[in-house]
Amino acid sequence: MTIGGLAAAGGVGVETVRYYQRRGLLAEPARDGAFAKVRRYDEGDVKRLRFIRSAQAAGFTLDQIGELLALDAGEDRARARDLARHQIAALDARITELQTAREALVRLTRECSSGTAGPCPILKAFEGA
């Protein structure tokens, strides 16, 4: 398949595929065909692209994903576990941060609906930020 087909199969744009190639996360195959203009990708490339996207959705950085991809070949389970545990801690911290923000917004919404005069507490809270 072409780079456009790879991008579509992975749910990303062509420029994202190229960016991953520049970062060394995806291989850039040799050109194939008349005048060597076309690069061909296979299901292995689709699988790798989907791995990258799934790891990103789990919150891993591209550097961490690169390390995970390298571990896949070496089967270093301990390091993969360490990376996952670190990511779990980062996600837990982010969840706590989001819960705190949600609670503050719920409180401000209640305050805004309880009064009719003066500036809305929601707008005032964001002015001070």
Side-chain angles (χ1 to χ4, degrees):
M1 74 186 76
T2 64
I3 192 169
L6 174 64
V12 300
V14 170
E15 286 306 314
T16 300
V17 171
R18 289 186 178 128
Y19 179 71
Y20 292 160
Q21 288 173 331
R22 287 191 302 271
R23 294 286 307 254
L25 299 173
L26 282 173
E28 191 172 334
R31 294 186 185 274
D32 182 29
F35 305 106
K37 291 184 178 181
V38 179
R39 296 183 192 277
R40 295 288 175 192
Y41 299 86
D42 60 24
E43 287 303 313
D45 297 309
V46 173
K47 182 180 175 183
R48 191 170 179 103
L49 179 56
R50 288 181 179 156
F51 176 94
I52 294 166
R53 300 298 291 160
S54 294
Q56 278 186 307
F60 287 97
T61 66
L62 292 181
D63 288 338
Q64 291 169 325
I65 293 169
E67 188 171 352
L68 285 170
L69 288 167
L71 292 176
D72 181 48
E75 297 184 17
D76 187 348
R77 295 171 68 114
R79 181 61 184 141
R81 249 189 339 270
D82 288 345
L83 285 169
R85 286 180 180 142
H86 174 74
Q87 190 55 35
I88 290 167
L91 288 171
D92 286 343
R94 181 75 174 129
I95 288 168
T96 299
E97 181 181 305
L98 288 171
Q99 286 173 331
T100 301
R102 183 185 188 285
E103 290 166 6
L105 194 53
V106 166
R107 180 182 46 76
L108 288 169
T109 302
R110 268 190 301 237
E111 290 175 11
C112 186
S113 64
S114 68
T116 56
C120 174
I122 297 169
L123 301 176
K124 284 193 66 128
F126 293 136
E127 284 176 355

